[in-house]
């Protein structure tokens, strides 16, 4: 199942910078592991924002939910999830 996920990050301004850096480093490792597994297929920054648009390829809604809740920055995020389906006009066979 493919999902588009928009993540807006709002780290508290009073969070110590060393703590924020530690959380970001753990988040990076977590996301890169999911990318290697093929579950986090794409990630793009949104210019001018502390946000990203990502594409996930997971087995179920619950799997995506668990992945998102496992993000170290999850407590500081606003997340919007959109389920995606293959478009019948697509010429690509590998976009499922």
């Amino acid at each position: 199942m493919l999902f588009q996920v928009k993540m807006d990050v709002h780290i508290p301004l009073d969070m110590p910078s060393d703590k924020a850096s530690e959380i970001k480093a753990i988040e990076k490792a977590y996301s890169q592991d999911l990318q290697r597994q093929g579950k986090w297929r794409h990630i793009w920054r949104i210019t001018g924002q502390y946000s990203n648009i990502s594409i996930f390829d997971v087995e179920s809604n619950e799997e995506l939910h668990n992945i998102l809740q496992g993000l170290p920055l999850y407590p500081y995020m606003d997340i919007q999830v959109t389920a995606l389906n293959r478009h019948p006009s697509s010429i690509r066979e590998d976009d499922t």
Side-chain angles (χ1 to χ4, degrees):
M1 299 177 73
L2 293 177
F3 294 90
Q4 173 189 293
V5 180
K6 181 175 188 269
M7 297 177 235
D8 299 314
V9 182
H10 307 285
I11 296 175
L13 296 175
D14 61 349
M15 179 183 287
S17 62
D18 58 331
K19 181 178 179 184
S21 294
E22 179 183 353
I23 293 171
K24 290 177 193 177
I26 296 168
E27 175 104 1
K28 182 176 182 177
Y30 180 77
S31 71
Q32 288 180 341
D33 182 53
L34 290 165
Q35 290 174 65
R36 286 184 198 92
Q37 292 176 45
K39 294 180 184 293
W40 197 325
R41 286 181 49 177
H42 301 280
I43 182 170
W44 294 278
R45 279 187 175 159
I46 299 174
T47 302
Q49 300 176 32
Y50 194 172
S51 302
N52 74 73
I53 297 283
S54 294
I55 303 296
F56 286 84
D57 188 357
V58 294
E59 294 296 319
S60 66
N61 295 338
E62 183 176 5
E63 182 181 14
L64 178 62
H65 181 77
N66 291 335
I67 286 171
L68 296 176
Q69 282 197 318
L71 291 165
L73 287 171
Y74 179 81
Y76 313 106
M77 289 183 175
D78 292 325
I79 298 175
Q80 297 173 356
V81 176
T82 304
L84 301 173
N85 294 291
R86 188 173 194 283
H87 196 283
S89 296
S90 176
I91 63 169
R92 301 190 190 282
E93 296 299 322
D94 64 345
D95 63 353
T96 58

